[in-house]
């Protein structure tokens, strides 16, 4: 048995903001992917993943059947037989490793599932998002359901607000363009739950709440609009502002050794960094109008291009 492949995802814009109704834009990233498999070779990774799946199945049983029903008989039989999730998606890196697993389980074992081939109305997208949010809460404590949605559908998702999401198209890449969106490997594994806790704690302060609304969400929404319109000049102007706001107000989410590097990008305009997912480690997302220049400037780090301008 080898199930279909489910891709990792990159939330280009909207981290933290989407919790408070900012816009967001999430794209599939096929460089990393995962699939359900039977553990024929009895590898350590396979066994560890299989043990994780046993716990996950117990969580799935707690979800109301009105939300989603599963074929537990087949699922438990497969898990007992050694099924595991074979994945190249790094965990704790902000690229949706648990999202891909959730999508794979839903695809194979959900009853009356909404399929990718249907006319995906807003209602259906929201229903999927609700289902995935309940399923993925096993991994993060609280989940928006967007990562699995992106992985399941394999198309860019535009988040207009919590209750308004749609499949979208993004401008096609300029393969010979100098500009790029890239991933920078921090070399540290990040954990989502503690970062979200810090954010929720900060939200109790009025100053932080108004900064989020007047600065963070304002620039995030503008970045999403600019990116979809292909207005590169405005996009970089807003990304710079967003990078500044994150450096000033989301310091705990940026690993300490990257504070100076972050600042350097803003001062030199060679690149702008932003959080990829919840931060705390994993990947950092970079935007540059000249990738060669950014690469020289960040020569100590491993960079991966995600999108070319």
């Amino acid at each position: 048995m080898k199930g279909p492949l489910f891709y990792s995802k990159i939330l280009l814009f909207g981290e933290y903001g989407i919790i408070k109704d900012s816009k967001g834009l999430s794209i599939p990233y096929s460089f990393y992917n995962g699939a359900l498999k039977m553990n024929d070779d009895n590898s350590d990774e396979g066994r560890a993943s299989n043990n994780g799946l046993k716990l996950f199945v117990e969580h799935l049983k707690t979800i109301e059947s009105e939300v989603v029903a599963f074929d537990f008989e087949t699922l438990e039989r497969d898990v007992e037989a050694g099924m595991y999730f074979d994945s190249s998606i790094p965990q704790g890196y902000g690229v949706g490793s648990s999202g891909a697993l959730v999508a794979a389980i839903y695809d194979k074992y959900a009853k009356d599932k909404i399929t990718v081939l249907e006319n995906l109305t807003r209602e259906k997208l929201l229903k999927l998002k609700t289902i995935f949010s309940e399923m993925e809460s096993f991994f993060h404590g609280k989940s928006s359901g967007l990562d699995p949605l992106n992985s399941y559908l394999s198309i860019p998702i535009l988040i207009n607000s919590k209750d308004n999401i749609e499949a979208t198209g993004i401008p096609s890449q300029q393969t010979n363009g100098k500009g790029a969106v890239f991933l920078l490997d921090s070399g540290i594994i990040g954990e989502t739950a503690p970062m979200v806790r810090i954010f929720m704690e900060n939200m109790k302060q009025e100053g932080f709440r108004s900064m989020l609304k007047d600065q963070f969400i304002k620039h995030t929404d503008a970045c999403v609009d600019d990116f979809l319109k292909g207005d590169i000049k405005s996009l970089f102007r807003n990304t710079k502002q967003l990078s500044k706001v994150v450096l000033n107000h989301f310091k705990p989410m940026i690993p300490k050794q990257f504070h100076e590097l972050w600042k350097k990008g803003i001062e030199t305009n060679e690149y702008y960094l932003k959080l990829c997912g919840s931060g705390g480690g994993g990947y950092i997302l970079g935007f540059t109008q000249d990738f060669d220049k950014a690469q020289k400037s960040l020569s100590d780090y491993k960079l991966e291009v995600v999108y070319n301008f």
Side-chain angles (χ1 to χ4, degrees), residues 14-199:
E15 69 293 341
Y16 291 108
I18 52 175
I19 297 175
K20 292 294 160 198
D21 259 5
S22 79
K23 285 192 176 187
L25 181 62
S26 182
I27 60 170
Y29 183 44
S30 57
F31 186 75
Y32 296 120
N33 51 58
L36 292 167
K37 268 189 186 173
M38 279 303 172
N39 194 6
D40 310 322
D41 58 355
N42 218 6
S43 67
D44 289 350
E45 288 95 342
R47 274 201 302 275
S49 171
N50 177 259
N51 288 333
L53 280 178
K54 285 175 184 161
L55 298 172
F56 186 43
V57 171
E58 293 312 308
H59 166 73
L60 295 180
K61 286 179 179 169
T62 67
I63 300 173
E64 300 280 340
S65 57
E66 295 83 75
V67 177
V68 60
F70 293 97
D71 174 0
F72 282 115
E73 200 183 316
T74 311
L75 173 54
E76 290 185 289
R77 193 176 60 227
D78 288 348
V79 169
E80 278 310 309
M83 182 176 76
Y84 70 109
F85 191 57
D86 182 26
S87 169
S88 65
I89 308 169
Q91 290 184 0
Y93 263 66
V95 285
S97 53
S98 57
L101 167 60
V102 165
I105 293 287
Y106 176 82
D107 180 62
K108 191 161 172 60
Y109 299 101
K111 295 178 173 175
D112 305 320
K113 67 177 183 183
I114 295 169
T115 72
V116 187
L117 303 170
E118 290 173 41
N119 174 19
L120 289 167
T121 60
R122 185 174 295 170
E123 286 68 34
K124 283 180 184 169
L125 285 173
L126 282 172
K127 184 168 189 235
L128 275 173
K129 184 174 175 284
T130 305
I131 291 168
F132 290 149
S133 160
E134 294 262 341
M135 290 174 72
E136 200 184 32
S137 67
F138 170 75
F139 299 97
H140 301 315
K142 187 176 178 359
S143 159
S144 68
L146 275 168
D147 288 6
L149 184 65
N150 205 292
S151 193
Y152 183 61
L153 299 176
S154 262
I155 46 179
I157 305 284
L158 170 63
I159 303 106
N160 293 302
S161 66
K162 264 200 205 74
D163 308 320
N164 181 351
I165 55 175
E166 56 185 297
T168 188
I170 56 174
S172 50
Q173 301 196 47
Q174 307 295 320
T175 35
N176 51 2
K178 281 170 75 171
V181 180
F182 60 88
L183 294 173
L184 184 157
D185 188 347
S186 73
I188 305 159
I189 289 175
E191 279 189 66
T192 299
M195 295 295 124
V196 173
R197 267 201 305 275
I198 294 170
F199 175 78

